[in-house]
Amino acid sequence: MPKHDWRGDLRLGLESLIDAAVNRGAQRRDVCAAILEDLGHLRLAYDRDPDPADDVSEQFVEEPSNNWPAAD
């Protein structure tokens, strides 16, 4: 059985999100910058705690920002 191409699914999903934001009037570069910023936050959270579900205590896990550019 061929291995599932999650990268292709991710690329299609990101393209869809970017296109939707651009169609609402956002600048493509601003949307891409926001996505990269969110990915950076996720990477830092993962570096601190690779699997928060394994934690016994209820620690606060920093969520990515929701500051994607939107049409005015």
Side-chain angles (χ1 to χ4, degrees), residues 14-59:
L14 286 172
E15 287 175 358
S16 176
L17 287 172
I18 293 168
D19 289 346
V22 169
N23 287 338
R24 289 190 308 269
Q27 294 293 316
R28 184 176 185 82
R29 69 179 176 276
D30 295 337
V31 176
C32 291
I35 290 170
L36 291 174
E37 181 180 342
D38 281 353
L39 288 173
H41 290 292
L42 288 171
R43 193 192 95 237
L44 289 175
Y46 177 81
D47 288 346
R48 284 192 299 262
D49 190 359
D51 193 353
D54 287 344
D55 293 348
V56 175
S57 66
E58 292 190 20
Q59 289 181 317

